[in-house]
Amino acid sequence: MFISIKNRLIFLLIIFTLIPFVLLRIVAYPRIQSDLQDVLIRNLDGVGHKQSELVSTWVSERMKNARVVANNPLMARCAKITREDKDYADIVQYLEVVKSEYVLKGVLVSNDKGLVTIASAGENVGSDVSEMDYFKQAVLGKTFVSGIIPSEIPLTNEYGEKELGMPTMFVSTPLKDREGVVLGVVSLRIDVNALNELMLSLKLGKTGETYLVNKDGYMITDSRFSAHLKEMGLVKKRCTLELKLISRETGELTTGVKQCVAGNNGFDAKGYKDYSGITVLGVWRWLPEFNWGVIAEIDRDEGYGAAYNLNYIVSSILLVLAFPIVMVAYFIGRKTSIPIIKLREVTEKMASGDLTQRVDIKREDEIGVLANSFNAMAKSLDEKTKEIAASEKRYRELFNSIKEGVYQSEPGVEGVFTFINKAGAELLGYSAPEEVIGTKVKNIYVDQEDRKRLCEKLDKDGVWREFVSLCKRKNGESFYAERTSNLLRDEKGNPVTIYGVFRDISERKKAEMEIVESEKKYRLLFNSLKEGVYQCEPEVDGVFTWVNQAGAEVLGYKSPEEVIGTKVKDIYVNPDDRKKLVEKLSTDGAWKGFVSFCKRKNGERFYMERTSSLVTDDKGKPFRIEGIFRDITERKKLEDELQESERHHRQLLNSLKEGIYQCEPTEDGVFTWINQAGAEILGYSSSEEVIGTRVKDVYVNPDDRKELIEKLEKEGVWRDFTSYCKRKNGERFISERTCNLVRDESGKSIRIEGVFRDITER
């Protein structure tokens, strides 16, 4: 059925001008709305994950504090201590220091029967805690974290008043002697307000909040909206242990809390009613090691506000633009189609053989130019036809003298050969060009889709240089052909013919494939490594040119392809580190063990250790940097924690009145460490003055040192060893010491450590 181009053009203009807007409303808008919702849930899930990590870290620090206190050598006495013991007051003072230092509500020590033997101020000495979970679990030999419970003694509340039943919690750990026997339990009463501040520290919009729940569905940290909850009558004093998170509609736990206390991690993107009756979006994570759950919620109206506004805006714009677009499309289509119809009528007459036809269109635009060009073409067409025939004869003779194959074919996938030179026919396995002409070009391809790809490329760009494909000869033998093809169009832009040159490159292809296979094995080898391996440009602003799979994953990417092309300096938190590396490599050529602070694709920061080398060409000019890197964040964290632990250990030992020391395990060994009290007993003003001096020089009789070494080598320990010693100024005193010989895993002596005191007065 014939349809006028005028009507077709008007219809298509209207359709194509409206399609983008319709697609925007039908496809793009729902996608954008979905993406907005996904981003919100991901952000909310990230908040829940971050709060979970903060809570776990906070509790782990409290557990570490408990173990530090229990490992104090003085604490072993506390299981059997009484008020009459001379050290009682000193240990109480120490517990008060611990209470202040660690921001605790109290510290208490009980024996293995559950009787409290000593405690900080405010705790009941002599009370029986044997039925408490924190005692029962710790006396079995493990550090225990209790739930948040009402206090059994009056504690100072947030208003500065004493209150019985205040929310509190305990962290307890076993108190052991040197042989590892449990003597009792050290229990820390934790200040729950610190946990409240941790949960309230993260602001989540105007209506969002994060809080903790216990396994019974009670809120165990204060709500951000506690003042409003008091006005509603849901709580009287505070949310902790008072507010049960129940939906007003169902009378059961809210959806998020019910899922969380069941031990599940997840989210609800559709919304549910919270404990105050508001529809919220929620994310929940269960912490099984503490029987707590982390809930993050935000009002649905606030969370999806941007998506609701987008729907209104998009709908309004479509309605406003639709009518004028339709009218404009109608008039443009009508005006444009009239000269095109005239051109069609003249073209049909010329196609029938009447070359005297002319187009009578007077316009000052592209269509007018086209009409004039058409008339000029008709005039010269007859003359050019004769010239082309003569030229074609000359060129055929020339092409037959060339060793490469030269061909012409019809355009399109189904096109046939219309010309081929003798060399081309022989490459395809034919004895003469006449055998090839008329056969379909796609039949020479092993994969006929290659012909389709060639036609699409030529239709788009007009030329495809050095296109390589697997072809076959007349007898079925396959070979690799490299061709350069061009698409010839007529004055109207219509494809007329495809022409080009091709050659057999099977031998070259074989060599290239061997190189590719070798490189593939090389890439597989590096992708099997756990460390990141990379190559990059040698400038400060240089980009990655190659990275293995492990390297991409360390940088937060799924594949190496995502990394290639990105600037190397963008992975550094401080871009000057890249500049330092480039300068170092330009001077020394390599840098081993270089550590810097870097960041992944998502912004997460980590410590990276790398070894890099600068590769230069024959003239000494740098052309790439290559190296190996790894993530050492965990190792760095452990080193920092070890230093922090050692600092606390040193501070504790320096607070003791007895001298504590470490030295080399030989008769002429020197002091390697000593606390402040020990330095003062030996007459020095600081520990640093003692370190490096010979231990036997403090003895009046140096044979005492020899006797001590022999005793320790035999038995490993000598308790209450007494000898005459001398201070730095030569003053003599009587020293009583207990010493241990420390050996490594192979039994080799590595150091002597011990405690000594001045007992001259005694």
Side-chain angles (χ1 to χ4, degrees):
M1 181 178 64
F2 179 79
I3 300 177
S4 170
I5 192 172
K6 178 179 71 175
N7 297 333
R8 189 194 301 269
L9 188 59
I10 292 172
F11 177 74
L12 290 177
L13 281 172
I14 293 173
I15 293 299
F16 282 109
T17 50
L18 289 179
I19 279 177
F21 297 98
V22 174
L23 290 177
L24 177 65
R25 182 64 184 86
I26 296 176
V27 179
Y29 166 71
R31 179 64 181 272
I32 294 172
Q33 185 181 44
S34 176
D35 289 345
L36 286 173
Q37 293 176 353
D38 289 345
V39 169
L40 175 64
I41 292 301
R42 282 199 301 272
N43 290 341
L44 200 59
D45 186 56
V47 169
H49 180 67
K50 179 180 179 183
Q51 291 296 76
S52 300
E53 289 184 343
L54 288 175
V55 170
S56 297
T57 301
W58 182 84
V59 175
S60 296
E61 289 175 354
R62 305 290 84 76
M63 295 170 72
K64 186 193 299 181
N65 294 343
R67 287 192 287 267
V68 169
V69 175
N71 289 335
N72 186 338
L74 289 176
M75 299 304 294
R77 310 181 190 179
C78 295
K80 297 181 179 179
I81 200 168
T82 64
R83 292 181 185 274
E84 289 71 27
D85 290 339
K86 64 177 182 179
D87 293 332
Y88 188 88
D90 290 338
I91 296 176
V92 170
Q93 183 179 2
Y94 169 67
L95 295 181
E96 288 296 329
V97 171
V98 170
K99 176 180 175 181
S100 174
E101 181 70 19
Y102 293 150
V103 194
L104 305 173
K105 286 291 188 180
V107 184
L108 55 107
V109 182
S110 56
N111 60 21
D112 58 350
K113 304 300 182 185
L115 184 66
V116 178
T117 58
I118 190 168
S120 61
E123 299 292 340
N124 293 332
V125 177
S127 60
D128 185 2
V129 297
S130 61
E131 296 301 319
M132 306 302 289
D133 284 343
Y134 63 83
F135 171 81
K136 291 179 180 180
Q137 296 295 328
V139 82
L140 295 177
K142 63 181 181 180
T143 303
F144 175 72
V145 179
S146 76
I148 296 178
I149 56 176
S151 65
E152 75 284 1
I153 61 172
L155 298 177
T156 303
N157 61 21
E158 59 267 35
Y159 308 110
E161 303 169 347
K162 290 289 185 179
E163 180 183 337
L164 182 65
M166 272 279 293
T168 188
M169 65 178 288
F170 288 90
V171 175
S172 57
T173 194
L175 183 62
K176 300 178 180 179
D177 62 12
R178 290 175 179 242
E179 286 71 32
V181 177
V182 177
L183 303 175
V185 172
V186 175
S187 304
L188 308 183
R189 187 187 294 275
I190 306 301
D191 185 358
V192 179
N193 282 332
L195 188 57
N196 285 336
E197 292 173 1
L198 185 68
M199 296 303 294
L200 294 173
S201 63
L202 185 63
K203 302 300 182 183
L204 190 59
K206 296 181 179 179
T207 60
E209 63 172 337
T210 59
Y211 54 86
L212 290 178
V213 299
N214 62 17
K215 62 183 179 180
D216 297 320
Y218 281 92
M219 189 180 285
I220 56 175
T221 55
D222 270 342
S223 169
R224 177 183 173 187
F225 309 106
S226 56
H228 179 61
L229 296 175
K230 290 179 182 178
E231 294 176 359
M232 295 175 64
L234 293 178
V235 297
K236 296 180 179 179
K237 293 183 178 180
R238 60 186 65 86
C239 298
T240 306
L241 298 179
E242 188 177 333
L243 178 61
K244 191 166 186 179
L245 300 159
I246 294 176
S247 170
R248 293 183 173 184
E249 294 181 353
T250 64
E252 299 178 350
L253 294 177
T254 63
T255 299
V257 175
K258 183 188 294 184
Q259 290 290 330
C260 189
V261 299
N264 300 322
N265 298 330
F267 62 89
D268 189 325
K270 295 181 179 179
Y272 59 87
K273 297 291 185 180
D274 70 353
Y275 55 85
S276 61
I278 297 173
T279 301
V280 297
L281 308 173
V283 170
W284 49 87
R285 287 182 176 271
W286 182 246
L287 307 179
E289 61 270 32
F290 313 126
N291 279 331
W292 294 347
V294 176
I295 307 289
E297 295 175 336
I298 188 171
D299 288 6
R300 185 173 64 182
D301 290 341
E302 180 183 2
Y304 289 161
Y308 296 154
N309 292 336
L310 180 63
N311 182 24
Y312 173 77
I313 292 171
V314 170
S315 299
S316 300
I317 291 174
L318 287 178
L319 290 175
V320 170
L321 294 179
F323 179 74
I325 287 174
V326 170
M327 296 303 297
V328 169
Y330 173 78
F331 287 110
I332 290 176
R334 186 173 182 277
K335 185 175 181 180
T336 303
S337 62
I338 292 175
I340 295 175
I341 292 172
K342 290 183 179 180
L343 281 171
R344 177 186 65 83
E345 293 173 350
V346 173
T347 302
E348 288 176 348
K349 292 179 181 179
M350 289 186 65
S352 64
D354 185 2
L355 298 181
T356 62
Q357 291 293 319
R358 299 292 181 269
V359 180
D360 186 17
I361 298 176
K362 306 296 183 182
R363 291 179 57 134
E364 299 297 328
D365 57 11
E366 287 80 357
I367 294 178
V369 173
L370 177 62
N372 293 334
S373 299
F374 189 88
N375 292 334
M377 177 191 68
K379 180 179 179 182
S380 64
L381 183 59
D382 186 52
E383 298 173 0
K384 294 295 182 183
T385 301
K386 295 179 181 179
E387 292 178 6
I388 289 172
S391 176
E392 183 177 356
K393 181 180 179 181
R394 290 193 301 271
Y395 279 115
R396 289 185 188 278
E397 294 174 351
L398 174 63
F399 288 148
N400 280 326
S401 67
I402 297 174
K403 293 182 179 180
E404 285 81 7
V406 181
Y407 77 98
Q408 288 181 350
S409 71
E410 295 175 344
V413 176
E414 299 294 331
V416 300
F417 283 103
T418 57
F419 167 79
I420 191 168
N421 68 346
K422 185 172 181 58
E426 292 173 351
L427 284 176
L428 297 178
Y430 293 88
S431 58
E434 290 74 20
E435 293 184 68
V436 184
I437 294 172
T439 62
K440 288 189 177 182
V441 183
K442 72 176 184 179
N443 291 339
I444 74 168
Y445 292 90
V446 172
D447 181 2
Q448 296 189 354
E449 286 295 316
D450 287 341
R451 171 65 177 178
K452 181 178 180 182
R453 293 195 300 123
L454 175 64
C455 291
E456 291 174 350
K457 176 75 172 179
L458 294 177
D459 187 58
K460 179 181 178 182
D461 301 332
V463 62
W464 193 349
R465 304 182 189 278
E466 298 176 353
F467 167 50
V468 177
S469 63
L470 190 61
C471 294
K472 56 186 176 180
R473 309 189 202 279
K474 179 182 179 182
N475 61 5
E477 177 188 355
S478 59
F479 69 99
Y480 280 98
E482 179 185 75
R483 65 174 54 74
T484 294
S485 301
N486 295 269
L487 178 64
L488 179 66
R489 298 178 182 272
D490 59 19
E491 288 83 351
K492 298 179 182 179
N494 298 319
V496 175
T497 187
I498 294 174
Y499 64 92
V501 179
F502 67 97
R503 61 186 62 88
D504 183 350
I505 61 164
S506 298
E507 290 300 319
R508 191 186 82 188
K509 191 67 177 178
K510 180 181 178 182
E512 290 175 352
M513 291 176 69
E514 289 175 353
I515 294 172
V516 170
E517 184 64 24
S518 175
E519 184 176 352
K520 180 180 178 182
K521 292 178 181 178
Y522 167 79
R523 299 296 186 191
L524 288 174
L525 173 61
F526 281 114
N527 280 327
S528 69
L529 298 177
K530 294 183 179 180
E531 288 80 6
V533 183
Y534 76 98
Q535 293 177 344
C536 70
E537 296 173 343
E539 298 82 17
V540 174
D541 287 324
V543 301
F544 283 102
T545 57
W546 181 79
V547 68
N548 68 345
Q549 181 64 34
E553 293 173 358
V554 169
L555 297 177
Y557 294 85
K558 293 181 180 179
S559 66
E561 289 74 21
E562 293 185 71
V563 185
I564 294 171
T566 62
K567 287 188 177 181
V568 184
K569 73 176 183 180
D570 290 344
I571 73 169
Y572 292 89
V573 173
N574 181 3
D576 288 341
D577 287 343
R578 169 66 177 178
K579 184 178 179 182
K580 286 168 53 183
L581 176 63
V582 172
E583 291 173 350
K584 175 75 171 178
L585 293 179
S586 64
T587 303
D588 301 337
W591 194 350
K592 297 181 179 180
F594 171 47
V595 177
S596 61
F597 203 32
C598 294
K599 55 188 176 181
R600 308 189 205 282
K601 178 184 178 182
N602 61 5
E604 178 188 355
R605 299 185 176 191
F606 68 100
Y607 283 98
M608 175 189 287
E609 179 184 71
R610 65 171 59 73
T611 294
S612 302
S613 301
L614 180 65
V615 182
T616 58
D617 58 20
D618 296 338
K619 298 180 181 179
K621 181 180 178 182
F623 71 89
R624 76 166 176 268
I625 294 172
E626 60 187 20
I628 300 174
F629 62 89
R630 61 186 63 84
D631 183 349
I632 62 166
T633 305
E634 288 301 318
R635 190 185 81 190
K636 193 77 173 174
K637 180 179 178 183
L638 289 175
E639 290 173 355
D640 294 343
E641 290 177 352
L642 181 60
Q643 291 176 359
E644 182 65 17
S645 175
E646 183 176 351
R647 185 178 70 81
H648 284 298
H649 176 70
R650 300 293 189 195
Q651 288 177 344
L652 176 61
L653 294 180
N654 279 327
S655 70
L656 300 178
K657 295 181 179 180
E658 288 80 4
I660 300 176
Y661 74 97
Q662 292 178 346
C663 70
E664 296 173 340
T666 61
E667 185 177 343
D668 288 324
V670 300
F671 285 102
T672 56
W673 182 81
I674 191 169
N675 70 343
Q676 184 62 31
E680 292 173 355
I681 291 173
L682 297 178
Y684 294 87
S685 58
S686 69
S687 304
E688 289 73 15
E689 292 185 74
V690 184
I691 295 171
T693 62
R694 293 197 305 179
V695 183
K696 76 175 184 180
D697 290 344
V698 307
Y699 292 90
V700 173
N701 181 6
D703 288 338
D704 289 343
R705 171 67 175 177
K706 181 178 180 181
E707 183 183 359
L708 174 63
I709 295 296
E710 292 173 351
K711 177 80 170 179
L712 293 178
E713 285 290 344
K714 182 179 180 181
E715 300 180 7
V717 64
W718 194 350
R719 306 181 189 279
D720 302 329
F721 168 53
T722 304
S723 63
Y724 276 100
C725 295
K726 53 186 177 182
R727 310 188 204 281
K728 178 183 179 184
N729 60 8
E731 178 186 352
R732 298 187 177 191
F733 68 99
I734 300 173
S735 171
E736 180 185 74
R737 65 175 54 76
T738 294
C739 302
N740 295 276
L741 179 63
V742 181
R743 300 179 185 273
D744 60 18
E745 295 178 353
S746 63
K748 182 181 178 182
S749 303
I750 57 174
R751 70 172 177 273
I752 295 172
E753 58 186 23
V755 180
F756 68 95
R757 60 185 65 83
D758 181 354
I759 62 169
T760 306
E761 294 299 325
R762 191 178 76 183

